[in-house]
Amino acid sequence: MSEISSIQRVEFQDRVRTALNDVNLQRAMAKAKSGFVDKRLEAKSALPEFDQIRDAARDIKDHVLSNLDTYLELYEEKVIENGGHVHWARDAEEACSIIAEICKASGARTVTKGKSMVSEEMYLNPALEAVGMEVVETDLGEYIVQLAGETPSHIIAPAVHKTREQITDLFHEHHSPLGYTDRVTQREALVNEARSVLRERFVSADVGITGANFLVAETGANVIVTNEGNGDLTSSLPKVHIVTAGIEKVIPSLEDLSVLLRVLARSATGQEFSAYTSIYSGPRRPEDGEGPEAYHVVLLDNGRSSMLGGDYQSMLRCIRCGACLNHCPVYGAIGGHAYGWIYPGPMGSVLTPLLNGFDSAVDLPNACTLNGRCKEVCPVHIPLSDLLLKHRTEQHERKLTSATSRWILTAWTWLVRRPRFYQAVMAIPLWTMNRISRGSGRLRWIPFGRGWTDTRDFPVPSRKSFLRQWYSQEKGHE
Amino acid sequence: MRIGSVISILMKTHQSNSPITVGLFVTCLADLIRPQVAFAAVSLLESAQCEVRVPRGQSCCGQPALNSGDRANSIEIAKQVITEFSDVDYVVVPSGSCADTLKNKYPTLFSKDMRWARRAQKLADKTWELTKFLFEKVELKGIDAALDGVCTYHDSCTGLRELLIYEQPRELLKQVKGLRLKELKDSNVCCGFGGLFSLKYSDISTHLVSDKCTEICNSDADMVLGGDLGCLLNIAGRLRRDNKKARVFHIAEVLAGMTDGPAIGDPEESE
Ligand code: SF4
């Protein structure tokens, strides 16, 4: 086990180093960071009751999680009533094969996709490509990362790690063969070019796959929130619409939806509302002018149900707004890919070990300063930093941490619990450090502290500890 | 204790004729690295008419174990702190993150042991971070300190978010003559210290502290202040490595007028 974690550690630290040295990534992240933070703050300040709505949002999600089976059954009933189909997938593999079957049965060749993190979680694109489908991402950010052969680095802004110049190059490379030979560099022009390339795909797609921000039990509807309207085209143009969602996405009613929507966009992008909020509740009815002929919902468990009733249940409240990523200093420094799986930032560091196995990502809960900013901004009050600490405890108990570090902690505790002896022992490094520093006030190197002194000086400790001074020089303290 | 201060305490506390006793939890960093922070805390508490005690059986609050998920060892350390500080009215800590450990973390350690859970809660209820205690509890007025210069302030994360410390240090600093406070951009963003994090994930930690120091330099302040020595060591270490001019002090040192000597990480003055 410790072997696994040591390999992982090297891998994680390597990814971190690569990210920190990636000039483009650093430029893109620096630009994105303050934008998200400032906009959220503005939106929050403009809505005095924002915090009350957050409480209500948390309560709604808690209520659902305590009655998840009831709401899921109700939801399924309604979907069927509306003429749709519900499929239950225990894990990613099962979900992929269900979706591949639906695509094959409908004779599909081209599949368009709206943004869906849950489909990333299932590795759906390679699975569909393996059965001969052409998969086209229609969310601009997802489209960019697809062209680049990457995965999203942010749960709501998949290409946040790319600079405009990189996007220009990508588009030029991939769109020239399609006749777009001009090299466009401006934001607007890039968006328009992508739109016009994607438009043809929308029309020719046989199956449209979207995620869902919410599933409404009372009506059997799924709700998609986007800023590009691509979700609408993906949902309504193709013959078949497949919705993929985690089982925790269900909510009781439209009333609850209005509460959750009020915190979602504000937390995510600082908008009052996203540009498009679309509600779909099944296949086209005879009186409808448009819409898909068939409507399927694939509900994914993939480890979620085992979080119910446990220490991490609150993580299932997550509405995937991305605020915790936007406010995380570590995420801001290393970007999403360094986390190693599709869910990055604080929510990812909590989720990844739960969904992929505790020994799959030993570093993630530790690579955090516990500054608590994520917890502060989470619209549904998920105590993210507390859950990360919980993970650390669990790792310690499962002995996933190195034997050396556990031994050091025990030895150190032994010493700390013997204060007089501790003071005597500590006097040695204090004296030595003072000798070596020769009054310079700082050390450029300390044993076992290269992690610190490679990039920072170490302020020299006092010659004599406070407690020793207090009890020896100051009379009458004894 | 001087007669004068005894009288003023008698007048202040009306019903009780004994002054409030404050146990100073020194914190291991102040104890070993910057004792002046603890001396400053003592002086401030005494000027607020508190009787300060420094229990001898203290060392560290146990954060390294706690934040490494080592509950068993954390419990051992917590029990010792709880015992050492059982007979004072208040426990005051010149660090937001250590105060939070006593106040909010210890009580979570004893879910299976009611007796210790009660004792932990008792300690939690009487534990205060220094600036919060001075400003809210004893409403310290008449701080007799002067410091001519422009200061900026770094809000350490745990104090800010768990103990809601933001106004208190700023209000207290208003009493320091000559001191002009200039707000730091992103003062609420982590400096990258995070205890053992700074060693284990030093690349990320360095990136964060570099960002922090860039903002400090952009602020053009002569001094950076803060309430947590961990963050201040990190910031000072990075500033010194880059030969930046801003000097670093713990807020207690400034409030107690103890800024004549070298700042954190600065050379000793030649004698
Ligand atoms: S954990 Fe909270 S802040 Fe992070 S994505 Fe989920 S809902 Fe948003």
Side-chain angles (χ1 to χ4, degrees):
Chain A
M1 200 63 90
S2 63
E3 204 178 328
I4 300 176
S5 45
S6 69
I7 294 170
Q8 272 181 16
R9 283 220 58 186
V10 173
E11 285 177 355
F12 178 76
Q13 300 272 22
D14 279 349
R15 287 197 300 268
V16 164
R17 234 161 275 142
T18 310
L20 291 173
N21 292 324
D22 182 335
V23 183
N24 285 317
L25 173 85
Q26 291 302 327
R27 269 182 45 211
M29 295 305 290
K31 212 166 159 194
K33 195 163 46 178
S34 58
F36 277 128
V37 171
D38 296 346
K39 283 190 198 134
R40 175 189 171 275
L41 196 60
E42 242 169 71
K44 176 179 147 65
S45 320
L47 182 66
E49 63 272 36
F50 186 66
D51 283 330
Q52 275 110 291
I53 306 174
R54 281 170 74 186
D55 294 348
R58 174 201 50 208
D59 295 345
I60 291 168
K61 292 296 278 191
D62 274 346
H63 171 75
V64 171
L65 294 173
S66 320
N67 302 279
L68 192 56
D69 46 352
T70 315
Y71 285 114
L72 282 170
E73 275 169 20
L74 182 60
Y75 170 74
E76 181 183 33
E77 232 170 74
K78 289 290 172 186
V79 174
I80 295 169
E81 226 176 271
N82 298 339
H85 307 269
V86 175
H87 310 261
W88 302 86
R90 236 165 317 195
D91 54 27
E93 208 178 315
E94 205 174 351
C96 286
S97 67
I98 292 169
I99 295 169
E101 276 312 313
I102 299 172
C103 292
K104 279 195 281 184
S106 64
R109 303 263 307 279
T110 312
V111 176
T112 46
K113 277 182 68 210
K115 205 179 83 61
S116 153
M117 286 312 292
V118 96
S119 76
E120 298 286 339
E121 180 182 332
M122 314 169 176
Y123 304 103
L124 182 59
N125 291 11
L128 290 180
E129 280 157 7
V131 294
M133 307 284 154
E134 190 198 0
V135 184
V136 184
E137 293 288 354
T138 63
D139 171 89
L140 183 59
E142 281 268 9
Y143 177 66
I144 294 167
V145 294
Q146 191 186 26
L147 290 185
E150 297 174 3
T151 52
S153 72
H154 187 295
I155 59 173
I156 66 155
V160 70
H161 60 290
K162 292 232 172 295
T163 60
R164 205 169 61 206
E165 292 75 52
Q166 286 177 299
I167 297 168
T168 296
D169 291 345
L170 264 178
F171 279 13
H172 191 61
E173 180 192 339
H174 288 89
H175 293 167
S176 308
L178 307 174
Y180 299 87
T181 45
D182 285 349
R183 201 185 149 82
V184 292
T185 55
Q186 291 312 304
R187 212 191 122 78
E188 196 88 341
L190 286 165
V191 173
N192 287 337
E193 185 173 304
R195 280 225 172 111
S196 97
V197 172
L198 285 172
R199 195 164 302 135
E200 293 156 32
R201 301 308 186 84
F202 279 125
V203 182
S204 63
D206 308 302
V207 174
I209 301 178
T210 64
N213 291 91
F214 303 100
L215 304 170
V216 185
E218 139 187 278
T219 63
N222 76 287
V223 182
I224 308 172
V225 174
T226 71
N227 273 324
E228 297 163 20
N230 63 308
D232 290 344
L233 297 176
T234 313
S235 306
S236 54
L237 288 183
K239 288 198 309 265
V240 179
H241 178 198
I242 304 174
V243 177
T244 57
I247 53 170
E248 83 285 11
K249 286 279 180 252
V250 70
I251 56 169
S253 66
L254 290 169
E255 184 79 33
D256 299 314
L257 175 66
S258 72
V259 174
L260 290 157
L261 286 175
R262 293 183 83 192
V263 290
L264 176 60
R266 286 182 172 88
S267 303
T269 50
Q271 294 165 288
E272 284 181 13
F273 242 71
S274 303
Y276 298 86
T277 300
S278 316
I279 304 180
Y280 294 94
S281 39
R284 171 202 307 210
R285 291 163 301 183
E287 65 271 27
D288 291 339
E290 53 181 20
E293 289 160 21
Y295 178 85
H296 297 267
V297 182
V298 179
L299 291 173
L300 179 69
D301 182 345
N302 211 28
R304 289 163 172 78
S305 55
S306 59
M307 287 160 67
L308 286 170
D311 291 335
Y312 302 96
Q313 174 171 308
S314 60
M315 194 60 225
L316 293 173
R317 295 202 291 252
C318 177
I319 56 173
R320 305 287 191 270
C321 72
C324 58
L325 281 62
N326 299 339
H327 290 77
C328 173
V330 175
Y331 176 86
I334 64 176
H337 290 147
Y339 288 78
W341 198 46
I342 54 144
Y343 295 120
M347 56 82 76
S349 296
V350 175
L351 265 184
T352 302
L354 294 172
L355 300 185
N356 281 355
F358 276 93
D359 47 0
S360 74
V362 176
D363 267 296
L364 298 189
N366 293 293
C368 163
T369 62
L370 300 178
N371 62 80
R373 213 174 169 209
C374 47
K375 177 165 102 171
E376 187 181 30
V377 298
C378 176
V380 285
H381 295 295
I382 299 171
L384 291 153
S385 36
D386 303 339
L387 295 180
L388 291 172
L389 194 53
K390 175 88 203 117
H391 268 306
R392 295 186 192 180
T393 308
E394 193 126 359
Q395 288 180 355
H396 188 86
E397 278 156 13
R398 290 171 185 242
K399 297 200 166 38
L400 290 169
T401 49
S402 81
T404 325
S405 70
R406 285 201 306 277
W407 184 86
I408 292 175
L409 281 172
T410 301
W412 171 83
T413 303
W414 186 91
L415 188 62
V416 161
R417 295 209 54 231
R418 285 157 185 78
R420 282 175 198 244
F421 185 55
Y422 166 91
Q423 287 290 336
V425 170
M426 286 304 175
I428 304 165
L430 296 196
W431 183 85
T432 321
M433 285 183 180
N434 270 286
R435 283 295 293 229
I436 296 170
S437 72
R438 296 163 186 237
S440 68
R442 56 181 175 170
L443 291 160
R444 297 189 151 256
W445 179 84
I446 47 172
F448 311 111
R450 274 196 54 193
W452 183 289
T453 51
D454 275 354
T455 53
R456 287 159 283 202
D457 288 348
F458 188 75
V460 174
S462 156
R463 282 204 181 80
K464 204 168 174 186
S465 75
F466 171 77
L467 284 163
R468 290 202 136 198
Q469 293 184 44
W470 182 262
Y471 279 103
S472 63
Q473 294 166 3
E474 309 267 322
K475 301 283 174 232
H477 285 136
E478 198 66 79
Chain B
M1 179 158 293
R2 281 168 292 123
I3 303 289
S5 61
V6 171
I7 291 169
S8 70
I9 291 157
L10 285 174
M11 304 207 340
K12 210 173 171 189
T13 50
H14 300 298
Q15 311 97 322
S16 112
N17 50 7
S18 57
I20 54 172
T21 55
V22 169
L24 180 69
F25 185 83
V26 177
T27 77
C28 59
L29 292 180
D31 180 42
L32 299 177
I33 301 182
R34 193 84 178 159
Q36 184 168 269
V37 170
F39 283 115
V42 171
S43 138
L44 290 162
L45 290 166
E46 284 180 345
S47 71
Q49 270 83 53
C50 302
E51 185 186 315
V52 181
R53 297 193 192 151
V54 183
R56 191 158 199 175
Q58 61 172 311
S59 40
C60 173
C61 67
Q63 274 187 82
L66 199 66
N67 291 344
S68 302
D70 184 345
R71 274 175 81 91
N73 281 322
S74 307
I75 287 172
E76 291 306 302
I77 297 172
K79 283 183 175 172
Q80 176 175 346
V81 176
I82 293 166
T83 309
E84 282 293 320
F85 287 86
S86 57
D87 58 359
V88 288
D89 299 333
Y90 296 99
V91 179
V92 172
V93 191
S95 152
S97 73
C98 306
D100 172 67
T101 303
L102 270 60
K103 206 168 173 53
N104 297 324
K105 301 298 188 300
Y106 285 180
T108 66
L109 290 172
F110 300 101
S111 46
K112 293 187 195 100
D113 186 338
M114 282 319 290
R115 197 173 71 86
W116 276 104
R118 259 198 307 275
R119 295 189 69 185
Q121 193 54 50
K122 236 173 126 186
L123 176 80
D125 293 341
K126 65 181 183 182
T127 296
W128 291 74
E129 184 273 344
L130 177 68
T131 59
K132 198 175 166 83
F133 185 79
L134 294 176
F135 184 69
E136 287 173 15
K137 188 72 203 169
V138 293
E139 298 175 19
L140 181 64
K141 302 266 158 47
I143 288 176
D144 183 25
L147 182 61
D148 192 26
V150 178
C151 293
T152 194
Y153 202 85
H154 167 65
D155 293 294
S156 290
C157 300
T158 310
L160 175 71
R161 302 205 172 84
E162 301 294 332
L163 304 175
L164 307 179
I165 293 165
Y166 182 82
E167 288 297 322
Q168 303 86 337
R170 287 170 175 76
E171 286 299 323
L172 291 167
L173 286 170
K174 283 184 186 160
Q175 295 186 39
V176 178
K177 286 170 216 73
L179 186 151
R180 277 150 293 155
L181 187 70
K182 191 167 173 193
E183 287 297 341
L184 181 64
K185 180 163 179 283
D186 293 339
S187 73
N188 63 350
V189 175
C190 180
C191 72
F193 174 62
L196 292 174
F197 172 90
S198 61
L199 294 170
K200 281 203 236 167
Y201 300 96
S202 56
D203 295 320
I204 306 174
S205 176
T206 300
H207 185 93
L208 301 185
V209 74
S210 305
D211 283 355
K212 178 61 66 182
C213 292
T214 305
E215 292 303 347
I216 291 170
C217 295
N218 289 343
S219 81
D220 250 340
D222 312 310
M223 272 161 282
V224 200
L225 313 179
D228 269 75
L229 210 39
C231 313
L232 297 176
L233 295 173
N234 188 34
I235 291 169
R238 182 65 188 178
L239 288 171
R240 292 294 77 81
R241 176 62 55 96
D242 287 347
N243 293 318
K244 298 291 193 244
K245 69 168 178 90
R247 303 169 74 211
V248 184
F249 283 105
H250 189 282
I251 180 170
E253 299 174 287
V254 174
L255 297 176
M258 296 184 179
T259 47
D260 290 340
I264 298 170
D266 274 357
E268 289 170 28
E269 269 109 44
S270 44
E271 271 124 50

